[in-house]
Each structure stands twice: as structure tokens, then as C-alpha cells.
Amino acid sequence: MRAKVGVYICECGPNIAEKVDIDGIIAGLSEFDGFGETELVVKKYGFLCSKSGREFLEEEIRNLGLTHLVIGACSPRDHDSTFKGVCGRTDLNPYLYRIINIREHCSWVIDDVEKATEKAESYLRGGIARVLRQSELFENPIDVNPDVLVIGGGVAGMQAALSLAAEDRRVSIVERSDRLGGRALELSGLSSGTFRGSDIAAGQVESVMGNPYIDVFLNTGVSSVIGFLGNFVIELLSDEDGATTEISSGAIIAATGCAVYDPSLSGSYNYSDRDDVYNPLEISRMLSSEGGVALRSGGRPENIALVHCAGRDELNYCSGICCGVMMKTALLLKESIPGVDITEFYRDICVPPHEGRQLYESVLEAGVDLVRVESAGLSGTTVSFREKSGVEDQRSFDMVVTAPALIPSPDTADIALLLGIPLDDTGFFQEAHRMTDPSGTTTDGVFIAGTSQGPRGILDSMRFARASAGLILTRLIIGEKLVPEVAVSEILEAYCTGCGNCLEVCVYGAIYSDGSKGVSVVNEAICRGCGNCFGSCPSGALRTKHFTNTQLYREVDEALR
């Protein structure tokens, strides 16, 4: 059948029309005879993305019997899905369509109308040459499991579970310890005012345990994960009796929390368990106990040093929440021990929340001595420091409270390996994109929340948990099927040597080895068509549907004609 390509150029208001001679392009393409027997229909329209523009395209496709469609408009990021939807409402396969960006690539970056027009026309010719070599691809919707697995029972994990649990969606929480609540429950002594983190955690525990749609597995870890978005099979391993339990879920949220750095591992902090050196969690436990804050000898401290940034040099990052915790600790110590002298040694004050300034001023009003230093170290309860002025000094105290950095929990690397997600430079889970997808990961269907992806406070951990839950609710819609990526990679068995290079570079875990045939195989349900594997194949066995060598070559060749 003779190909009939519809080429439609969007004026995009003045964005394209004022910088590109669209009528000249229409005339040039209409007279061009480089596509053999192919019939071209070339027209323009004000806003093709508008409702009337979409209806116009649908009518053109139906009435003219178009076999292919090329749109000259804006970035594919803006409206590629829009025009695929247009094709989907007609008999034209969406993969016989191509959008050409003549706004960002031509009209917005070239002031000379003649040059912008020439470039736009060459791009459109390239698009026509390519679309003629594209093949029909068909979507294969799959059934999905709406249930969710949450790894970690802290405030982030519980918030995610409470946001997702429903009559037709069960949530399983897997917690390594013997209780829910995480570190937030240990902060009761540091809770004051209207915000009490320990109360929030305790309330979440009660809600989770009373929710009929949430299953809780305590003293349990994850031993195996296979599958993809919509269909994961997970094996759980009990730490108590070694029993295994298999569950299924459509998505996974990793909210494994964090650990606290041990400053004694640093060469600058020399102290032992016999010294009165503590961290804020230990002070919190003292404040909430009947005995209150006391020295190991049993007496009350008369002077206390609070040393910020313990481990910052060794770890090379700021945890961001320690300053606020230390200031709150100072105020509570002032309240609980009348007449105590408190000195805070800090490098920089980092209190980003809106109440941070008020907290800082409260510390000053309470009579806490703030000493800004370039560096500080400990020898028992003696603080050695260098002030910003360069003066070096040391002071002895009855008690020292350090602000250790937050570090990844011990099993973070193991969980990352199980889930197929990377770690960042500091050892926390790496998000898909810090700005555009801070709760997603490179493994579709696996999300992260809370301090598992870096130091943050309780409220921020809960916000990120809700964000992860929201992403799942928009992807795993109950009663609807999931449409996997169609433009995926494929391996030509005749050329595959089974070297395994593609398995190593696939960040989605979508390729596996078929030992019986000695070749690699793509799981199309998992593949996202990124093309990483294509460049790793030494034998040329790999190609990506919709981005074949022939299609790319013809597009570039025609554009450069």
C-alpha cells in the first residue's frame, strides 16, 4: 500500500510562526520528491495541542486515510503523549507517528528567520524519512497486584502504610526489630511544645496495629525479591525461628531508616564508656526517666558542653537536623537542671524550618553560651577547640553531649542489592532524580522514603512517605491494567554470544541469561527501553524497538541532505 504521510506544523501562537516561515516550509516539502512514491499532506494549524487542534488531526487521519503522521511542534516532553493519544483514537498506530521539535531547536534559538526555517524544514524531512521506517508496535496490558510491601516500621514506613491501606489494597510492613516506631519513639525526652515526635510515632503504632488492612511482620527481614512493577514476589525470613513467608505485592517502599555515627571512631573524639559523653538519644532517655539527667557517678552535672558536627569531617556531609536537636536539648537541660551552665560549640548554625529562628533566639535568651569554632575534639570530657579567630583553647566539663551524624542503617546496602537500586556517595538510597522524582528509584515499582535516602526530620520523613504512597496510587490503580513500555530492547539470538555484558549494564534488571540456549533474553515487562544494553553488545545482537539503526540513520541522513 502506498504510504500517505500527514505533516502538520503547529504555529504555537507566535512561538513558531513569528520565527519560522511556515508557508515556505509547506511549499518546500510539497515540492520535495525525495521520498519516492510516498504522498505527503502538509498543513499548518494554530495550536495542535488544543482541543480543536486534536479534533482537527483526528478528522484528517480518518478522512484522508493517513498511514503515518509527523508533527512539527514543541518538545516531545510537552506533547508527545498528547499526539500519541490522538493516534490512539483513530486507526493509526501511535508508533507510526513522530514529533519534531522545531520550537526549542529552531525558533527559540535562531534569530535569523531564514536560517531557522531552513533548519526546521531539514528536521521535518528527517522526521518523514524516519517515520516511513517505523513499524507498528502494540501495547500488552498486564494485570497488577495493588498490594504494597513497606520495608521498615518507623514513622516513614508507618505513614506510607496508613496512606495506602484500604479494603482492596493490603499493606505489609516488615520490621527488623521487635517493635514499630523506629527512633522517633526514643525522642520522648526531647519532645516539647505542640510537636512531639514520640507522640506522633506512638499514635501511628496504634493506628497501624488497629488497621485490618495492614499486616505487620516483626523480627523479620527480606531475603528475596523478584518481579516488576505490579507483580513482585517477596520472600520474608523470620529472625526468630528462620521460617520463610512468601507474599506478593505490586510495589515496594524502602523506609529502612538510619543509624547514628559513633564519634569515638574518629581520631578527634577520644573517650570511653566510663566518660560522661552522650548523644541526644541517650539524653532523651535520661530526661524521660525517673532519675533525670545524671552523671555516671550519680551526681548532677554543673556544666555541660554540646559539641556539634561530630563526624562531619569523616563523612563529608552535614546531616541538617542536628543543630535543631542540639538547641532543643540545651533548652530542656536548662529546664531540668536549674542553674546548669551550657556551652554549645558549633561551626555553622543550620536550622532551616520556619521555627528555626525562634529556637535559636530561645537558646540565646536561656543563657546558653554559643562558641563558633573551626574544629573541635574530645579527650574524655575535655573539649579542645579552635575558634574562628584562630585562637586555640580547651575547657573541661562535667558532661559532654555530641551531635553525631546520621548514617545509613547497617542493612541499607543489602536491601539495595535485593531491590536493584543504587546507593549515593554517602551510602543512602539514591533517588531517581533529586528534583523531578525524589521518591522514585531506577527500579520501577520500588520507592524510597524517610531517612533511608538521607538525614531528615520526622515531618519531612512523613512527607516523603506520603509522596511515595501518592506515586503508587497513581500507578497501581485498582481495577485497571498496567501498560508496560512498548519501545523496548530485543536480542537477536542468532547474533548473541551470551557474553553477559548487557546484564551488567541494565539498571532495571530486565535482562537474564538463558543457560539452555547460551543467550541473553530481555524481559519486556521490566525493560524501559533506555538503550544502555545496546552500546555494550560487541556482536550487534541488541536493538531497541522504535530506535533501530536504520530509523536513526535515515533521519540524520535526510536532515543533513
Side-chain angles (χ1 to χ4, degrees):
M1 183 179 71
R2 183 184 181 189
K4 189 173 186 179
V5 183
V7 183
Y8 296 89
I9 303 172
C10 180
E11 295 180 346
C12 197
N15 288 293
I16 295 177
E18 288 187 359
K19 291 292 188 68
V20 173
D21 180 6
I22 296 178
D23 290 330
I25 292 177
I26 293 175
L29 291 177
S30 299
E31 296 171 1
F32 186 70
D33 58 0
F35 299 115
E37 300 269 329
T38 300
E39 180 182 352
L40 296 182
V41 177
V42 190
K43 297 182 181 181
K44 65 179 180 180
Y45 196 88
F47 286 97
L48 286 172
C49 62
S50 66
K51 181 180 179 181
S52 61
R54 298 194 301 270
E55 292 173 348
F56 164 74
L57 286 174
E58 291 176 25
E59 291 175 2
E60 290 283 293
I61 293 170
R62 293 191 186 99
N63 296 339
L64 300 179
L66 300 180
T67 61
H68 301 77
L69 179 66
V70 174
I71 302 291
C74 56
S75 168
R77 280 180 172 270
D78 291 341
H79 287 296
D80 187 45
S81 59
T82 300
F83 298 123
K84 279 185 177 178
V86 168
C87 297
R89 291 188 289 274
T90 68
D91 292 333
L92 182 61
N93 188 284
Y95 293 90
L96 298 180
Y97 134 84
R98 180 80 179 153
I99 185 172
I100 305 299
N101 186 357
I102 62 173
R103 187 181 70 180
E104 282 87 338
H105 291 177
C106 301
S107 66
W108 277 5
V109 294
I110 303 175
D111 292 329
D112 186 287
V113 173
E114 184 177 347
K115 291 182 179 179
T117 302
E118 180 182 350
K119 185 177 181 182
E121 184 174 342
S122 69
Y123 276 17
L124 287 165
R125 288 201 311 271
I128 297 169
R130 173 171 175 167
V131 81
L132 286 170
R133 284 156 182 81
Q134 291 177 190
S135 303
E136 291 184 331
L137 298 178
F138 299 94
E139 296 176 344
N140 184 26
I142 59 175
D143 293 321
V144 298
N145 182 348
D147 297 343
V148 179
L149 168 68
V150 178
I151 307 175
V155 290
M158 291 189 293
Q159 180 61 59
L162 291 169
S163 299
L164 289 163
E167 184 177 357
D168 40 15
R169 177 184 287 107
R170 298 198 66 83
V171 178
S172 298
I173 298 179
V174 176
E175 169 55 42
R176 206 76 206 232
S177 70
D178 59 358
R179 63 168 177 81
L180 297 175
R183 295 193 178 277
L185 284 181
E186 302 176 34
L187 298 176
S188 58
L190 298 183
S191 299
S192 63
T194 57
F195 172 70
R196 299 179 63 87
S198 57
D199 288 351
I200 290 176
Q204 286 181 319
V205 172
E206 184 178 352
S207 297
V208 166
M209 298 307 293
N211 193 309
Y213 309 117
I214 299 178
D215 300 315
V216 178
F217 298 86
L218 298 177
N219 296 306
T220 302
V222 178
S223 58
S224 171
V225 177
I226 59 173
F228 47 89
L229 174 65
N231 291 277
F232 286 104
V233 178
I234 303 101
E235 184 179 83
L236 307 180
L237 178 64
S238 172
D239 294 334
E240 294 180 319
D241 56 14
T244 60
T245 303
E246 185 177 282
I247 63 173
S248 300
S249 74
I252 300 172
I253 296 179
T256 52
C258 64
V260 178
Y261 177 73
D262 181 1
S264 66
L265 299 175
S266 166
S268 301
Y269 292 79
N270 300 306
Y271 61 92
S272 69
D273 293 340
R274 296 186 300 273
D275 296 312
D276 285 295
V277 180
Y278 307 94
N279 64 40
L281 290 176
E282 293 168 324
I283 295 297
S284 173
R285 287 193 284 269
M286 288 188 194
L287 287 168
S288 58
S289 67
E290 291 184 3
V293 177
L295 301 172
R296 298 190 192 279
S297 63
R300 298 289 183 187
E302 295 182 0
N303 50 70
I304 302 175
L306 274 61
V307 183
H308 292 226
C309 302
R312 177 173 172 177
D313 291 337
E314 290 75 14
L315 300 171
N316 199 32
Y317 62 84
C318 170
S319 293
I321 65 171
C322 308
C323 289
V325 171
M326 291 294 268
M327 289 184 177
K328 184 175 289 188
T329 301
L331 291 175
L332 292 171
L333 287 172
K334 277 284 190 180
E335 292 176 8
S336 65
I337 310 174
V340 68
D341 292 326
I342 296 179
T343 303
E344 288 199 48
F345 297 92
Y346 73 96
R347 296 186 185 183
D348 298 288
I349 295 296
C350 179
V351 281
H354 64 276
E355 70 274 8
R357 180 69 186 181
Q358 182 180 350
L359 182 61
Y360 174 72
E361 292 175 349
S362 297
V363 166
L364 293 177
E365 292 172 1
V368 175
D369 184 18
L370 296 176
V371 179
R372 190 174 188 185
V373 299
E374 287 186 350
S375 61
L378 292 183
S379 178
T381 56
T382 298
V383 180
S384 302
F385 58 95
R386 175 183 293 172
E387 296 188 35
K388 281 291 184 180
S389 62
V391 175
E392 295 186 2
D393 198 357
Q394 64 178 30
R395 299 183 196 176
S396 295
F397 296 87
D398 296 335
M399 177 183 286
V400 174
V401 182
T402 63
L406 299 184
I407 59 175
S409 60
D411 59 351
T412 297
D414 293 335
I415 294 295
L417 187 62
L418 277 174
L419 300 179
I421 60 178
L423 302 176
D424 65 17
D425 294 339
T426 59
F428 290 96
F429 294 139
Q430 174 72 60
E431 60 277 312
H433 191 285
R434 185 172 295 274
M435 300 300 293
T436 61
D437 192 7
S439 297
T441 69
T442 54
T443 297
D444 207 11
V446 176
F447 304 87
I448 51 180
T451 53
S452 66
Q453 64 181 124
R456 57 172 52 101
I458 291 174
L459 295 181
D460 277 343
S461 294
M462 294 169 65
R463 291 188 188 103
F464 274 81
R466 284 191 287 266
S468 294
L471 290 172
I472 292 172
L473 291 174
T474 60
R475 299 292 301 279
L476 298 181
I477 301 174
I478 296 170
E480 292 189 12
K481 293 190 175 185
L482 189 68
V483 180
E485 176 63 57
V486 176
V488 298
S489 296
E490 60 180 346
I491 297 174
L492 305 178
E493 291 187 5
Y495 297 102
C496 180
T497 64
C499 68
N501 285 357
C502 51
L503 278 75
E504 295 181 8
V505 301
C506 180
V507 297
Y508 299 103
I511 304 178
Y512 63 93
S513 178
D514 185 339
S516 63
K517 295 182 178 180
V519 298
S520 298
V521 182
V522 175
N523 183 338
E524 295 191 358
I526 305 177
C527 179
R528 291 296 172 264
C530 69
N532 271 2
C533 55
F534 178 84
S536 73
C537 183
S539 63
L542 265 155
R543 68 179 183 181
T544 303
K545 297 177 182 179
H546 206 57
F547 293 92
T548 65
N549 284 344
T550 302
Q551 292 164 1
L552 297 174
Y553 174 80
R554 285 297 298 128
E555 182 173 23
V556 174
D557 181 58
E558 191 60 56
L560 297 177
R561 180 192 290 266

